[in-house]
């Protein structure tokens, strides 16, 4: 499902964000139905516990070929043997992460085409663009960008849309030019998270 974008790096089409509060026993089933990316995002865990969580996620989904990225922490991504790291505005700078880890997948949070251009210049592999829609999963974000913000940012890096995305909204963000989507509530707050993930996979198609 993921496609090679450069240097052999596959940027996932569907990234499921995973925290320590989620049912980790479902991860292998999600990977088996086609979730090709997982992001370990547990903001309150110590480095040690976050590493243990990331190792568990890697063990659960790597056999199916899914990519695992750690949110915020390059050191944890390296320690856990993850494929990459997702960096936001208050994390290590993309350029510094790229110097330290030439072979890792690096994602960068972006809110505009200018952000995406800067992320590409600094060595990012993909841009996480959002929040596209309103989200209940994170406080303190700027107003939703709306799906119309995607098209102007296309053509620099693969865009992974995030924020309020579920199976019913995947179509419009992909039509706007997003390469993929990243999801919390649309999977984990669904009564059947594996079925919800499979439905998003089917909306993305091959
Ligand atoms: C794919 C993707 N895009 C954006 C984000 C947001 O990352 P960040 O700005 O670092 O905020 P937190 O997730 O750390 O709260 C993301 N995690 N993934
Ligand atoms: C971490 C983050 N950054 C922008 S939106 C978001 C949360 C996405 O969660 P959901 O898929 O439940 O809207
Ligand atoms: Mg972050």
């Amino acid at each position: 499902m993921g496609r090679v974008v450069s240097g052999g790096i596959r940027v996932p089409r569907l990234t499921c964000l995973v925290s320590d509060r989620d049912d980790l026993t479902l991860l292998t089933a999600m990977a088996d139905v086609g979730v090709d990316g997982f992001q370990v995002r547990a903001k309150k865990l110590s480095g040690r516990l976050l590493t243990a969580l990331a190792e568990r996620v890697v063990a659960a989904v790597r056999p199916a070929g899914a990519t695992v990225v750690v949110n915020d922490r390059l050191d944890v991504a390296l320690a856990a043997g993850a494929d990459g790291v997702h960096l936001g505005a208050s994390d290590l700078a993309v350029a510094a992460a790229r110097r330290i880890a030439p072979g890792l997948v690096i994602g960068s949070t972006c809110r505009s085409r200018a952000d995406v251009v800067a992320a590409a210049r600094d060595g990012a592999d993909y841009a996480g663009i959002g929040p596209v829609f309103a989200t209940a999963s994170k406080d303190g974000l700027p107003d939703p960008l709306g799906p119309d913000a995607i098209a102007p940012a296309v053509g620099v890096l693969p865009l992974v849309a995030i924020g309020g995305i579920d199976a019913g909204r995947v179509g419009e963000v992909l039509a706007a030019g997003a390469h993929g989507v990243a999801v919390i509530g649309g999977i984990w707050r669904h009564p059947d998270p594996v079925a919800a993930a499979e439905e998003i996979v089917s909306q993305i198609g091959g």
Side-chain angles (χ1 to χ4, degrees), residues 39 41 43 71-72 86-88 91 109 138:
Q39 182 186 131
R41 179 177 180 272
K43 307 291 286 186
N71 186 47
D72 299 342
H86 186 93
L87 298 171
D91 305 318
T109 298
K138 179 173 175 172

Side-chain angles (χ1 to χ4, degrees), residues 69-156:
V69 161
V70 176
N71 186 47
D72 299 342
R73 298 281 301 264
L74 175 62
D75 55 342
V76 171
L78 291 168
D83 301 289
V85 64
H86 186 93
L87 298 171
S90 56
D91 305 318
L92 193 63
V94 169
R98 180 53 77 211
R99 281 195 297 275
I100 295 166
L104 275 200
V105 176
I106 298 179
S108 175
T109 298
C110 294
R111 313 218 190 274
S112 66
R113 183 181 181 88
D115 288 350
V116 181
V117 169
R121 178 202 62 211
D122 291 345
D125 297 297
Y126 73 88
I129 188 156
V132 177
F133 301 105
T135 177
S137 299
K138 179 173 175 172
D139 294 329
L141 285 166
D143 288 344
L145 303 173
D148 291 348
I150 294 172
V154 168
V156 183

